[in-house]
Amino acid sequence: METYSKVGRADQDLKWARIWFKQFSVFHHRRGEDQRPFTADEVVAFLRNKRDAKVPAWKRMKIIEALMAYRLRVQKQGVEDLVPLQKKMEQIIKIEHAKNGGFDVIDGVAGVINPLEPDVIQAFRRALRSDGRAYATEKAYVQDLKTFMTARGLTCLADFETIGDQDVEAHLSDLAVDGNVAPSTQNRVYYAMVKFFKLVLKQDMGRIEAIRASKGTFVPTVLGVEEVSSVFAGLRGVYLVIAHLLYGCGMRISEAMRLRVKDIDFANKQIEIRDSKFGKSRLVPMPDNLIAPLERWVASREVLHRHDVADGIASVWLPFALDRKYPNAHQELGWQFLFASNRLSRDPQTGRLHRHHLHMDNFAHHLRRAVQAARLFKHVTSHTFRHCFATHLLWQGTNIREIQQLLGHNDVKTTEIYTHVRNPQESGLVSPLDRLLGTVG
């Protein structure tokens, strides 16, 4: 099992090494030159760009490590000139941590817009926030705009006076032909540019006839009931409760992590999922087998909250300026995150300390270990439980419209992807091989 774990980690490291080298190459306008040697100065320029984009030091360290891995494993070259950068970044990480008073920064919360960014990027960030876009969407869209600007040699808002839909069309075609990007990536870039044209340039983008990245029929990874049970067997405590929510309610991992105490309605046996994808909310039934674990977890959360109140540190981050509308809400138990972190975090906008929810990476780490312990070789993520929820309900005969509502899908066509998953219990198909060998036997 240890050997299998190490191989998986090595493959993952190589994957990220290729991803960061690709971004590094795009930054330096050197696509398709996988074996071209690169210098420490080029790495420094890339890191400074990431620093100016407010990428934290710990993540810039990941970039250095990825580029070192690329040098060693792909280019078969030494990394002696990059070691000093690694040591310097270790010092920067300590300095950043000290500036935050030793506290983590709340993940997923937009900070103050960096005045050193190009005016066009600042304008796009302000427009996206006014439009109510999630911070994760803002980060992705801004990065897409930066890539477009780099490819077209644009540096400021004034440069866009001569840019039109034909430039976007050419860029999307380049992504499909030269960049060999996934269809989902090309689609995201398209919508990012639509938003930019509409919100910042105040104009509609015309009809786009770009070469599209090829897209096959998506069939989600689905575990059998016994496989789900075997994964559960490798989880404990809060991570098992979260996994039960994902599979039992069809939640996304972000939805489970953002649950607040007041969202758990024991009287009506339902859970309210608020401000989900596209800002929607929905109600889902509470599984009977989750009532007792959730009651215990709420009681445990109440104890932690009482300690925070006694220590004068009871506070939680609130969205949409709710803390101004309800000045005391951030200290009330109902508003606290159900799955709270054991550490305080600093709000990047206000500098205030809050007890935020667990980081999603924590669950991913425990899930990966549980999957390995179960000896499953499928690609299993937190989202796999959502796929299993929908598919298993469909196999049980649940109406697809009801499943659509439970998942919060806008269009039933999105839900229909689960009809492509073969139900092993219903298929009467017998392979010709089985017929042949069965006859021979």
Side-chain angles (χ1 to χ4, degrees), residues 201-256:
L201 300 184
K202 306 298 182 184
Q203 64 185 69
D204 290 329
M205 199 162 62
R207 183 178 176 83
I208 298 296
E209 296 289 351
I211 296 174
R212 303 308 301 270
S214 59
K215 182 178 182 179
T217 301
F218 171 68
V219 179
T221 297
V222 174
L223 303 178
V225 175
E226 296 80 7
E227 290 176 316
V228 173
S229 180
S230 68
V231 174
F232 285 169
L235 296 169
R236 297 288 184 274
V238 62
Y239 302 107
L240 179 58
V241 176
I242 293 172
H244 283 171
L245 280 169
L246 301 181
Y247 177 63
C249 303
M251 291 185 188
R252 301 175 178 91
I253 183 62
S254 59
E255 295 170 345

Side-chain angles (χ1 to χ4, degrees), residues 1 66 128 167 251 326 388 398 411:
M1 184 60 65
L128 289 171
D167 296 283
M251 291 185 188
Y326 306 110
C388 294
T398 308
D411 193 334

Side-chain angles (χ1 to χ4, degrees), residues 278-299:
F278 306 118
K280 298 185 301 180
S281 298
R282 68 185 189 278
L283 293 170
V284 296
M286 184 187 302
D288 290 338
N289 285 286
L290 263 176
I291 294 177
L294 286 175
E295 286 177 337
R296 290 193 296 270
W297 200 257
V298 169

Side-chain angles (χ1 to χ4, degrees), residues 9-23 59 62-63 65-67 69-70:
R9 176 62 185 272
D11 289 344
Q12 191 74 0
D13 289 345
L14 181 59
K15 170 189 171 183
W16 281 106
R18 293 186 185 280
I19 289 173
W20 279 117
F21 182 78
K22 184 176 180 179
Q23 290 195 28
K59 196 164 188 176
K62 294 290 186 183
I63 295 174
E65 292 172 348
L67 293 177
Y70 193 87

Side-chain angles (χ1 to χ4, degrees), residues 422 427-436 438:
R422 174 181 169 271
S427 178
L429 178 69
V430 178
S431 168
L433 177 64
D434 290 335
R435 291 186 183 277
L436 173 64

Side-chain angles (χ1 to χ4, degrees), residues 16-58:
W16 281 106
R18 293 186 185 280
I19 289 173
W20 279 117
F21 182 78
K22 184 176 180 179
Q23 290 195 28
F24 174 77
S25 299
V26 170
F27 175 78
H28 286 292
H29 308 287
R30 290 169 185 158
R31 293 182 181 178
E33 300 181 28
D34 295 350
Q35 294 297 328
R36 185 190 183 283
F38 58 91
T39 67
D41 288 339
E42 290 174 324
V43 175
V44 169
F46 184 57
L47 292 172
R48 284 175 177 167
N49 174 265
K50 293 298 181 182
R51 177 202 62 193
D52 293 344
K54 307 296 283 184
V55 173
W58 68 265

Side-chain angles (χ1 to χ4, degrees), residues 94-159:
K94 292 178 181 178
I95 293 172
E96 277 195 7
H97 199 57
K99 283 182 178 178
N100 290 326
F103 296 100
D104 297 328
V105 175
I106 292 179
D107 180 64
V109 177
V112 178
I113 293 176
N114 182 8
L116 298 179
E117 285 189 313
D119 59 347
V120 61
I121 298 298
Q122 294 183 54
F124 196 27
R125 288 191 188 278
R126 281 192 291 270
L128 289 171
R129 294 180 188 185
S130 298
D131 196 46
R133 297 289 111 180
Y135 183 49
T137 301
E138 176 187 321
K139 289 197 296 184
Y141 280 13
V142 165
Q143 185 57 50
D144 292 335
L145 178 61
K146 287 181 177 179
T147 303
F148 177 78
M149 291 172 63
T150 301
R152 291 292 182 272
L154 310 173
T155 59
C156 62
L157 189 56
D159 292 343

